[in-house]
Amino acid sequence: MKTYKLALLGFGHVGQAFARLLMRKADQLADEYRIQPVVTAIATGSRGRAIDPNGIDLWAALNLIESGQMLDNLSAEPAPEDNIAFIQASGADVLFENTPVSYLDGQPAIDHIRAALEMGMHAVTANKGPVVYGYHTLTALAAQKGVRFLFESTVMDGAPVFGMTRETIPAANIHRIEGVLNSTTNLILTHMENGESFDEAVRYAQSIGIAETDPSGDVDGWDSAIKISALITVLMKTPFTPDKVNRDGIKEITPEKIAAAKAEGKRWKLICTAEKRADGIEAKVAPAMVGPDTPAYTIDGTTSIVTLESDVLGTLSLIEADPSPITTAYGLLADLINAVKGRSAKG
Amino acid sequence: MKTYKLALLGFGHVGQAFARLLMRKADQLADEYRIQPVVTAIATGSRGRAIDPNGIDLWAALNLIESGQMLDNLSAEPAPEDNIAFIQASGADVLFENTPVSYLDGQPAIDHIRAALEMGMHAVTANKGPVVYGYHTLTALAAQKGVRFLFESTVMDGAPVFGMTRETIPAANIHRIEGVLNSTTNLILTHMENGESFDEAVRYAQSIGIAETDPSGDVDGWDSAIKISALITVLMKTPFTPDKVNRDGIKEITPEKIAAAKAEGKRWKLICTAEKRADGIEAKVAPAMVGPDTPAYTIDGTTSIVTLESDVLGTLSLIEADPSPITTAYGLLADLINAVKGRSAKG
């Protein structure tokens, strides 16, 4: 049995779901993987922060947050307000970086992850920014320090799109990626097919907490562009940023267009594509009509799909249906297990 | 760079495609994985066998087979006719077991694999028999000897259904598996939807080399039953044999039934299911009508799909479309890389 100390930087919905999952899976982690995770540091945005080298009581932390109280009383020693100092004081083996991030440069998440890696901690994040803007640098730093930088939850929640490519299809050269990667727009399009207007569908997505108050990041294809950039960066081993994606959202998809597609036996989907060409990689986010000859046709609501074309396999598709709040948390758990137990197939 | 000696026991379509892929990927294996595979032993069914500790010229071996000649001239030393003696004489680091196998007991493949593992070789196979009838014993033996027993190509060709579960979704407890796993029946049903009779569709599948002269193993659901048994055995960690599968083939699916399904906007598919229940695992192979709300609806021709339900992810589906002859060979290559480079996430 080996104990691993975890620092949770950011303790919102994802961090809290991860804490619950750690408790639920404690016995299985011990029995099957000989792993005993102990959370020794938690930093929230506005609910304080705590460090305790002997382990923080996660039930107590969750109860404090739910009842609107501060975490500070759980701290056994001073917990620095500065995030870098907090990481350095945490004494953790693995950092979980889930703070608010800028999608323009991946900061401050990149700095947090770099600080952890430099101290010899593994770093795990559900933030796309550090992948899009820092993957190659951070991965090289992790390798140099003998630790891992993992980020399974950044695209398709906890579905193993990165792990599958990294661990299970070695030596496959991926030349094309296609996917429906944004839940909000797919939910809106699905609801519009059922007769709702665009605004009604947006309001529904907001009411269940899927869409933001300002839904433009999803609706204009920006989130999709970041996700396809992350996939290109990692799966095609080529740095790629969202500004290079030829991007179109779903605002032009009227109820009339949806009815016309239906009459043809087709559906509108916001499709992300990336293609390796002789002159570089071409990436696009745009609405497209798809028919029943493609798996994307069956992708309803918040379900997502990615399809990979390579030199050694027929097209390989991964579909994640019915994601739940624990799906993203599970991606963090999978990264934890893979970080501490294994090395990649890559030499 | 590390050299690994490979023994190919069985050199039919799969073994030959693997030999070609090894040559095609030699540079990439060296550059990215620091692996230099050298085939030191090849045993065919009726074209002789060869052992050369310095490496057999694979082009020469393929040319001899294609021109109907024997391999024996490539042998630098006596190559035993007995397969167990051959494995022991091969001096290999990894055995690739691809000889004809009995689907009633997995023999003689199980004996071949056991012999290899006992000598400290990794063992890789595209044969389902050893998985269904020997997985737990052979995996325990491999662990005891510090080597791996891998078999990615046994279900869905080289698509990483086993690797994905083993390496990328650790601590996920799978309670339901569903899939379209048999290419021949799916191709027949697809052709019948286009107006062909059952017999015409079978003849087409035979003409392109997908169906056997006696297609009953596929048509009666036997191959599907073996595959779902392999998935249960490995993914649900419970030994399960095809005789326990409630099995129904596609012979009752008439053109009339196919037309009736079409009128309802549905399609007939030969669906494999396995479900963990309080009183054990229930497994079934049976034709079912599926609608556009399920990814199986888009599975045409030789494409296959598997869907996994677990306690931590929404339903996760893997689709392999357009398998080519190299897909199965690629599964063997992926197993080779994973066997020699990594250990499983499992402790």
Side-chain angles (χ1 to χ4, degrees), chain A residues 159-175:
Chain A
V161 52
F162 293 112
M164 183 177 84
T165 313
R166 186 181 67 234
E167 307 292 345
T168 77
I169 52 169
N173 299 322
I174 294 168
H175 55 80

Side-chain angles (χ1 to χ4, degrees), chain A residues 25 170-171 311 330 341 343, chain B residues 25 169-171 311 330 341 343:
Chain A
K25 286 287 188 181
D311 59 337
Y330 172 69
K341 289 301 287 187
R343 52 189 173 133
Chain B
K25 287 285 187 182
I169 53 169
D311 60 337
Y330 172 68
K341 289 301 287 187
R343 53 192 169 130

Side-chain angles (χ1 to χ4, degrees), chain A residues 24-25 28 33 160 163 167-171 173 294 298 311 314-319 321 330 338 341 343 346-347, chain B residues 24-25 28 32-33 160 163 167-171 173 294 298 311 314-319 321 330 338 341 343:
Chain A
R24 195 181 116 200
K25 286 287 188 181
Q28 191 176 358
Y33 299 90
E167 307 292 345
T168 77
I169 52 169
N173 299 322
T294 151
T298 69
D311 59 337
T315 60
L316 196 64
S317 299
L318 190 66
I319 299 175
Y330 172 69
N338 280 316
K341 289 301 287 187
R343 52 189 173 133
K346 197 109 178 190
Chain B
R24 196 182 114 199
K25 287 285 187 182
Q28 191 175 0
E32 293 182 17
Y33 299 88
E167 307 292 344
T168 77
I169 53 169
N173 299 321
T294 154
T298 68
D311 60 337
T315 59
L316 196 64
S317 300
L318 190 67
I319 300 175
Y330 172 68
N338 280 316
K341 289 301 287 187
R343 53 192 169 130

Side-chain angles (χ1 to χ4, degrees), chain B residues 206-326:
Chain B
Q206 288 168 330
S207 76
I208 62 164
I210 298 281
E212 318 251 340
T213 313
D214 172 7
S216 59
D218 293 320
V219 165
D220 294 342
W222 184 240
D223 176 73
S224 293
I226 296 170
K227 285 175 174 161
I228 192 72
S229 298
L231 293 179
I232 293 167
T233 299
V234 181
L235 274 48
M236 291 182 168
K237 302 164 191 168
T238 309
F240 203 93
T241 46
D243 55 292
K244 292 191 221 155
V245 177
N246 195 332
R247 179 172 52 82
D248 212 354
I250 61 163
K251 279 192 180 146
E252 310 289 312
I253 307 303
T254 57
E256 292 70 34
K257 281 188 175 178
I258 284 180
K262 200 174 184 178
E264 278 186 57
K266 294 189 171 178
R267 310 178 69 181
W268 283 99
K269 296 286 165 197
L270 186 61
I271 305 280
C272 309
T273 49
E275 223 167 324
K276 252 190 191 169
R277 301 195 177 170
D279 57 344
I281 290 166
E282 194 171 289
K284 192 168 80 165
V285 171
M289 283 200 291
V290 299
D293 56 338
T294 154
Y297 183 79
T298 68
I299 302 305
D300 271 333
T302 58
T303 294
S304 57
I305 180 171
V306 71
T307 298
L308 309 177
E309 285 179 31
S310 70
D311 60 337
V312 283
L313 282 170
T315 59
L316 196 64
S317 300
L318 190 67
I319 300 175
E320 187 203 25
D322 318 315
S324 75
I326 66 158

